[in-house]
Amino acid sequence: MLERFYPDVYMDSSYEIDYEGLYERGYRGVIFDIDNTLVPHGAPADARSIELFKRLKGIGYESLLLSNNKEPRVKSFSDKVGSRYIFKANKPFPESYKKAMEIMGTTTETTFFVGDQLFTDVWGAKKAGILTYLVKPIHPKEEIQIVLKRYLEKIVLFFYNRDLNNKQ
């Protein structure tokens, strides 16, 4: 039952993903959450995030920021990194993920998602049928509703890690 929330890949950081390797495997589009995935919650785009999007563009990726935040937050970040975006995305509902792929001109087979939350980011991407990367939150400061979800995420991640170890 908990498997529906399991990420395909769990990593420490968005900045450690082998984007070149994924491109070689046929991936052409990447959808990102923003807060605590690319920068601390509410922070503006920084040099590291700007450089990542330059790197992705250089590789040949299409990118899109998918956020449940309001447009001013998402647009300001998007303007700095040079990516398209969807705000008030209603994650975990899969419709926004599908719209993101339509905008990028990619498919479920050529798109992957990177986010820091299981119950919105990963679950929605899985329901949309795309590869999911869960990354550890960049910073512990978060809104109260997210803090509460983190306790439940710890339970799911316990079983995820246990199941992963049992497969090895």
Side-chain angles (χ1 to χ4, degrees), residues 19-62:
Y19 295 101
E20 290 82 2
L22 287 164
Y23 193 86
E24 288 174 14
R25 288 177 36 205
Y27 289 92
R28 296 298 182 262
V30 57
I31 303 169
F32 285 99
D33 176 54
I34 299 171
D35 288 322
N36 258 343
T37 297
L38 295 167
V39 293
H41 188 82
D46 58 11
R48 186 167 71 156
S49 60
I50 293 167
E51 187 56 40
L52 174 62
F53 280 83
K54 283 182 188 172
R55 177 178 156 209
L56 293 170
K57 189 172 184 174
I59 295 168
Y61 278 107
E62 295 291 328

Side-chain angles (χ1 to χ4, degrees), residues 18 20 39 43 50 96 121 146 160:
D18 180 8
E20 290 82 2
V39 293
I50 293 167
S96 292
D121 297 333
I146 297 171
Y160 167 79

Side-chain angles (χ1 to χ4, degrees), residues 3 6 93 143:
E3 292 84 3
Y6 288 4
F93 296 104
E143 296 173 342

Side-chain angles (χ1 to χ4, degrees), residues 118-119 149-159:
L118 286 176
F119 302 124
K149 285 192 276 185
R150 294 287 185 206
Y151 288 108
L152 297 173
E153 284 184 354
K154 286 180 183 178
I155 295 166
V156 174
L157 289 172
F158 169 82
F159 288 103

Side-chain angles (χ1 to χ4, degrees), residues 43-125:
D46 58 11
R48 186 167 71 156
S49 60
I50 293 167
E51 187 56 40
L52 174 62
F53 280 83
K54 283 182 188 172
R55 177 178 156 209
L56 293 170
K57 189 172 184 174
I59 295 168
Y61 278 107
E62 295 291 328
S63 67
L64 189 134
L65 301 167
L66 190 67
S67 176
N68 284 346
N69 267 306
K70 295 177 183 169
E71 188 170 24
R73 164 69 177 137
V74 183
K75 183 180 184 325
S76 66
F77 195 92
S78 170
D79 289 346
K80 295 275 188 187
V81 299
S83 180
R84 290 174 281 188
Y85 66 91
I86 297 173
F87 67 99
K88 288 189 181 177
N90 292 318
K91 295 181 287 183
F93 296 104
E95 290 77 17
S96 292
Y97 296 84
K98 292 173 182 176
K99 182 174 176 143
M101 288 183 278
E102 183 181 312
I103 290 168
M104 293 189 299
T106 59
T107 65
T108 55
E109 293 80 21
T110 62
T111 306
F112 63 99
F113 179 85
V114 182
D116 70 299
Q117 293 187 52
L118 286 176
F119 302 124
T120 51
D121 297 333
V122 169
W123 191 29

